[in-house]
Amino acid sequence: MKNFTVNGVKTKIPPFPHHKAFIYRCKQFFTAKGLLTHMTMGRFITIKELLCGWRYKCSIPRVLLIDPTSSCNLHCKGCWASDYEKSNLLSYEKMDDILNQSEKLGIRDCLMTGGEPLMCKNVIIKLCEKHRKSTFGVFTNATLIDEVFADEMKRLENLNVFISIEGTKEETDSRRGEGVYEKALNAMKLLKSRDIGFAFSACYHSKNYKTIASDEFLDFMREKGCWFGWLFQYVPVGSDADLSMVCTPQQRAYVQEKISDYCNRHDYTIIDFWNNGHLAFGCIGAGNGFVHINARGDVEPCAFCHYSDSNINETTLLDALRSPFFTAFRKAQPFSDNPLRACPLIDVPDAITKVVKEGFAHSTHMLSPESAEQLADKSRARSEAWKPVAEELFRKMPVKNQRNFPKFLTYHRFKKKCTDGRRIKKEND
């Protein structure tokens, strides 16, 4: 049994698929000292993925993201879930089928987004009970976590939650609704008392970025029992997105530097989705690291990229991963030679228009659809302004990070040749 220091306390980590083992693997991934460490982590999970990719002639993701429902009990400002049709729902039978398919491909991590996933909490519990060899995580507003559900999580062991919070009480309630902050803290209290290794999940934007990156907020989250954290930058997806909430390059750089410094000082894991490209080896969407299925069944590169050419109700997961859109998307990765400019949505916006066109994909944004060109037009000016800032940040990073990234890119090119390249060659022959 492995040991993991959490908030200064050495803790024993049960074997996978215990939810604490997922946290341990996240830390291993984002602190890999080199290619060898990366390849041997988690009982050689990286090598197993490569072998599965060779077998199925397709890049196989490590993580499956699913939206059980598009419904939500909150109406947060700037959240695209409010644009979704509330009737969209993946049934237990459909999610069970998807998980059976993913497990056959070697995927053992399933994270649930939404909507509010816990509006389907009984379905989630049932899935966790059946799929005992997989670990599950839920991004949730925490308002539906009570004593009974916390007890179920303790019993199941392979279920975790990532609690959304916007910073202070005022910042959280102003965006999520009156009383939501206290409900989130109460949920943390329930989980901490049961020794569940949960995380906080924060969306930072132009109005709260300093709070989210502050020692005071991060210390408070650790005090409340958070084993690690997720950070998501506000992305103006949807034709009616609030552009005033988008961070400037300087604000984004501020978060990147502060979070990196905090994690180093406290040996703490925070996954900053857009600022950790140097640790995640660039964009990992479209099956390169994860794949997303929304509540309508559309198979998307990630939860933020609302374009697709496949629907899980009409095809298999493997065929969706092999689709023209996903193949074109992976072929274009990495989208930049600077890992801090990894995302085609906000860092290299012209790339998203190219892969959507090549892959014959369509918008899946339901009530407020927008073309890839429209999304790119919103992001282009900021992406150009971010480019020199990102280059300066990368130059200031530790030498090991600068040296490791080309090695990891070489590995991923090799991976593409062994997976997609092998299939395409066979099809051409």
Side-chain angles (χ1 to χ4, degrees):
M1 188 174 288
K2 299 182 181 298
N3 292 316
F4 181 32
T5 301
V6 183
N7 298 334
V9 179
K10 184 177 286 189
T11 305
K12 290 185 177 181
I13 302 298
F16 186 85
H18 197 282
H19 71 272
K20 292 180 180 177
F22 171 79
I23 301 171
Y24 181 80
R25 290 198 325 196
C26 285
K27 183 176 178 64
Q28 283 186 306
F29 183 89
F30 286 99
T31 57
K33 295 180 180 179
L35 189 56
L36 180 62
T37 308
H38 176 69
M39 297 294 288
T40 57
M41 72 174 64
R43 295 183 180 178
F44 302 96
I45 185 173
T46 305
I47 294 176
K48 291 176 183 177
E49 288 169 357
L50 186 61
L51 292 174
C52 284
W54 174 267
R55 176 184 178 185
Y56 293 106
K57 304 181 186 69
C58 175
S59 182
I60 303 299
R62 182 169 301 184
V63 179
L64 173 68
L65 294 168
I66 302 181
D67 296 353
T69 178
S70 58
S71 296
C72 185
N73 58 334
L74 299 182
H75 302 280
C76 304
K77 297 175 183 177
C79 177
W80 65 65
S82 61
D83 297 336
Y84 284 1
E85 298 170 14
K86 304 308 179 186
S87 59
N88 288 314
L89 180 76
L90 292 175
S91 67
Y92 166 79
E93 291 74 20
K94 175 51 66 175
M95 287 196 287
D96 180 45
D97 175 55
I98 295 170
L99 287 165
N100 286 331
Q101 293 182 56
S102 67
E103 288 172 354
K104 183 179 179 181
L105 297 176
I107 306 169
R108 295 292 180 179
D109 293 322
C110 177
L111 304 184
M112 298 186 183
T113 54
E116 170 50 52
L118 292 188
M119 294 187 75
C120 303
K121 62 168 69 175
N122 291 334
V123 169
I124 293 173
I125 290 171
K126 191 175 179 181
L127 289 169
C128 292
E129 287 177 329
K130 181 175 180 181
H131 296 271
R132 299 301 299 170
K133 294 183 179 180
S134 294
T135 186
F136 295 83
V138 175
F139 289 92
T140 174
N141 60 41
T143 59
L144 301 177
I145 296 177
D146 54 19
E147 296 269 2
V148 174
F149 184 72
D151 287 339
E152 286 290 85
M153 289 182 62
K154 179 70 175 177
R155 177 182 66 86
L156 291 166
E157 294 188 331
N158 64 336
L159 174 62
N160 201 352
V161 294
F162 317 128
I163 297 175
S164 298
I165 195 164
E166 303 290 326
T168 65
K169 181 180 186 299
E170 292 73 20
E171 289 166 331
T172 300
D173 286 358
S174 66
R175 188 176 180 203
R176 294 182 168 271
E178 190 68 30
V180 173
Y181 178 81
E182 291 300 333
K183 290 180 180 179
L185 294 189
N186 183 63
M188 292 181 182
K189 182 179 179 180
L190 293 175
L191 299 176
K192 183 180 180 181
S193 68
R194 289 162 175 77
D195 191 33
I196 295 171
F198 65 96
F200 74 89
S201 173
C203 174
Y204 65 91
H205 46 79
S206 61
K207 298 174 176 60
N208 74 341
Y209 74 98
K210 283 192 174 182
T211 299
I212 296 301
S214 69
D215 280 17
E216 292 78 11
F217 172 73
L218 298 174
D219 286 346
F220 184 61
M221 289 294 96
R222 292 169 62 208
E223 176 189 326
K224 291 299 175 183
C226 298
W227 280 44
F228 73 118
W230 297 85
L231 293 190
F232 299 95
Q233 185 180 173
Y234 176 78
V235 180
V237 174
S239 59
D240 60 348
D242 185 353
L243 297 181
S244 70
M245 294 178 68
V246 178
C247 284
T248 66
Q250 292 70 30
Q251 291 168 345
R252 178 176 172 181
Y254 178 92
V255 173
Q256 198 281 333
E257 292 183 301
K258 288 287 187 180
I259 293 298
S260 178
D261 176 65
Y262 187 91
C263 291
N264 289 332
R265 282 188 287 116
H266 296 281
D267 189 25
Y268 193 63
T269 302
I270 297 177
I271 303 169
D272 186 350
F273 213 62
W274 277 267
N275 284 336
N276 278 164
H278 61 297
L279 301 175
F281 331 124
C283 171
I284 54 175
N288 188 36
F290 53 72
V291 60
H292 178 249
I293 302 174
N294 69 23
R296 194 166 59 180
D298 299 310
V299 186
E300 303 168 333
C302 79
F304 297 87
C305 187
H306 295 178
Y307 301 98
S308 176
D309 66 343
S310 304
N311 189 285
I312 201 64
N313 295 305
E314 302 166 355
T315 189
T316 65
L317 178 59
L318 180 58
D319 284 342
L321 290 169
R322 290 172 170 173
S323 75
F325 178 44
F326 270 43
T327 301
F329 201 102
R330 289 193 297 268
K331 183 180 178 181
Q333 293 168 327
F335 295 101
S336 168
D337 57 4
N338 184 336
L340 293 177
R341 296 179 58 241
C343 179
L345 300 181
I346 62 174
D347 297 330
V348 195
D350 289 325
I352 193 62
T353 63
K354 182 179 179 181
V355 296
V356 166
K357 183 177 180 180
E358 287 183 2
F360 305 100
H362 60 272
S363 174
T364 58
H365 198 75
M366 306 184 188
L367 298 184
S368 297
E370 64 181 352
S371 68
E373 289 79 10
Q374 289 173 315
L375 177 61
D377 287 343
K378 290 190 294 186
S379 302
R380 191 170 288 110
R382 278 190 171 87
S383 70
E384 287 300 316
W386 171 245
K387 185 175 181 179
V389 178
E391 290 174 352
E392 179 61 24
L393 280 175
F394 192 52
R395 281 195 296 267
K396 291 165 59 177
M397 283 185 175
V399 174
K400 69 173 184 178
N401 287 336
Q402 297 182 38
R403 290 178 177 173
N404 277 337
F405 188 66
K407 298 177 185 177
F408 286 121
L409 288 186
T410 300
Y411 160 72
H412 281 289
R413 291 188 184 101
F414 171 73
K415 178 182 176 183
K416 282 196 286 187
K417 186 177 292 187
C418 291
T419 54
D420 292 287
R422 181 168 175 250
R423 185 184 84 255
I424 292 169
K425 181 177 183 299
K426 186 172 182 178
E427 289 173 350
N428 291 339
D429 290 344

